[in-house]
Amino acid sequence: MNNTIYDLKIFADLEKEVIDDIIKHAKVEYYQAGEIIILQNDESNGKWYIIKSWEVKVEINSMQVALLWIWDIFWEIALLNDEPRSATVIALTDVE
């Protein structure tokens, strides 16, 4: 498990100053337990997500396929390939 945002594999080749700039420009969003963050088959909202606190579940066709928690990253193929979201992501707890 990653201990901080600086430990994320996606940032491995970036200098600390670049990561700090990403953090500075990031928008923090909050979701309540049970709230849908991403809905399967929706169009991309142009965002990718880093979980700062607590956990979410990932479902495909209403079946749970993964649990994600602090410092896990999720975004969908939709962000990169202009395709519908491939999964639903639901907050299991209050999430930042």
Side-chain angles (χ1 to χ4, degrees):
M1 181 170 143
N2 298 303
N3 293 323
T4 72
I5 195 166
Y6 299 100
D7 298 322
L8 293 174
K9 186 180 254 186
I10 195 168
F11 296 145
D13 294 328
L14 298 178
E15 295 180 15
K16 182 183 182 302
E17 293 77 23
V18 174
I19 299 169
D20 289 342
D21 194 52
I22 291 169
I23 294 167
K24 178 181 171 186
H25 291 94
K27 179 182 173 197
V28 177
E29 295 183 356
Y30 301 91
Y31 298 91
Q32 294 180 344
E35 190 172 355
I36 294 173
I37 301 169
I38 290 175
L39 187 60
Q40 185 176 357
N41 296 319
D42 275 359
E43 291 184 26
S44 173
N45 58 7
K47 299 177 185 179
W48 59 288
Y49 299 83
I50 300 172
I51 301 171
K52 187 174 178 186
S53 63
W54 308 112
E55 64 183 336
V56 302
K57 69 177 174 177
V58 180
E59 294 182 346
I60 297 177
N61 299 325
S62 300
M63 296 192 58
Q64 183 175 317
V65 295
L67 287 176
L68 305 175
W69 45 83
I70 190 167
W71 303 124
D72 278 334
I73 296 175
F74 64 94
W75 63 80
E76 294 290 336
I77 296 169
L79 180 63
L80 302 172
N81 296 332
D82 195 28
E83 296 177 8
R85 298 287 186 178
S86 62
T88 295
V89 179
I90 303 168
L92 288 177
T93 60
D94 291 349
V95 175
E96 179 179 353

